[in-house]
Amino acid sequence: MIRSILAIDDSASMREILQAALGQAGYDVTLAKDGDEGLEHALAQHFDLVLSDLHMPRVSGLELVRKLRANPSYFETPILILTTESDQTFKTALRDAGATGWLEKPVDPELLIDLASALCEAQA
């Protein structure tokens, strides 16, 4: 079964990295350029994993987590935040909002693939 991942980042180069790494690992990856577009995709189709940048225009990663967790389809879906922030305040806010976890940028593609695999398999 091919797993689907929604990857949201306002950086075109980061979207390319996520697409290349996860696509080569066999995932069906849908890209979004901001949280607003990501929400549109998430409401139109269910994904097995959501990856989102923290700092984005219009809808931030934190807002995105809150909105997805308010939707019954995404109560248990893993949501990972990609961020350059190392401040514990952000991590606490993300956890409180319902984020599964976070990865610090720059993202190690191998670590990303391993984590995506583990989170998707845990749902099976």
Side-chain angles (χ1 to χ4, degrees):
M1 172 186 208
I2 297 177
R3 299 294 190 160
S4 61
I5 297 177
L6 174 59
I8 309 161
D9 202 297
D10 57 327
S11 163
S13 60
M14 189 64 194
R15 289 193 306 272
E16 288 174 17
I17 291 167
L18 295 172
Q19 175 70 56
L22 295 166
Q24 287 179 348
Y27 292 98
D28 178 20
V29 182
T30 298
L31 300 173
K33 68 181 180 303
D34 60 39
D36 201 37
E37 184 177 299
L39 279 173
E40 288 177 26
H41 286 301
L43 297 177
Q45 167 190 345
H46 186 269
F47 293 90
D48 298 304
L49 173 64
V50 176
L51 303 172
S52 177
D53 185 19
L54 178 60
H55 297 292
M56 296 182 291
R58 297 171 31 173
V59 176
S60 72
L62 183 59
E63 284 179 83
L64 178 83
V65 171
R66 288 182 180 136
K67 289 181 179 191
L68 288 178
R69 289 297 186 225
N71 182 319
S73 297
Y74 284 94
F75 279 165
E76 305 214 2
T77 303
I79 303 172
L80 289 179
I81 299 297
L82 309 174
T83 183
T84 56
E85 293 289 345
S86 58
D87 187 331
Q88 190 60 39
T89 304
F90 283 103
K91 293 176 181 177
T92 300
L94 290 168
R95 185 177 297 117
D96 290 347
T100 306
W102 50 85
L103 283 175
E104 290 187 19
K105 291 180 179 180
V107 172
D108 176 340
E110 287 184 31
L111 177 61
L112 175 63
I113 292 165
D114 289 346
L115 192 52
S117 176
L119 290 170
C120 286
E121 289 306 313
Q123 286 189 55

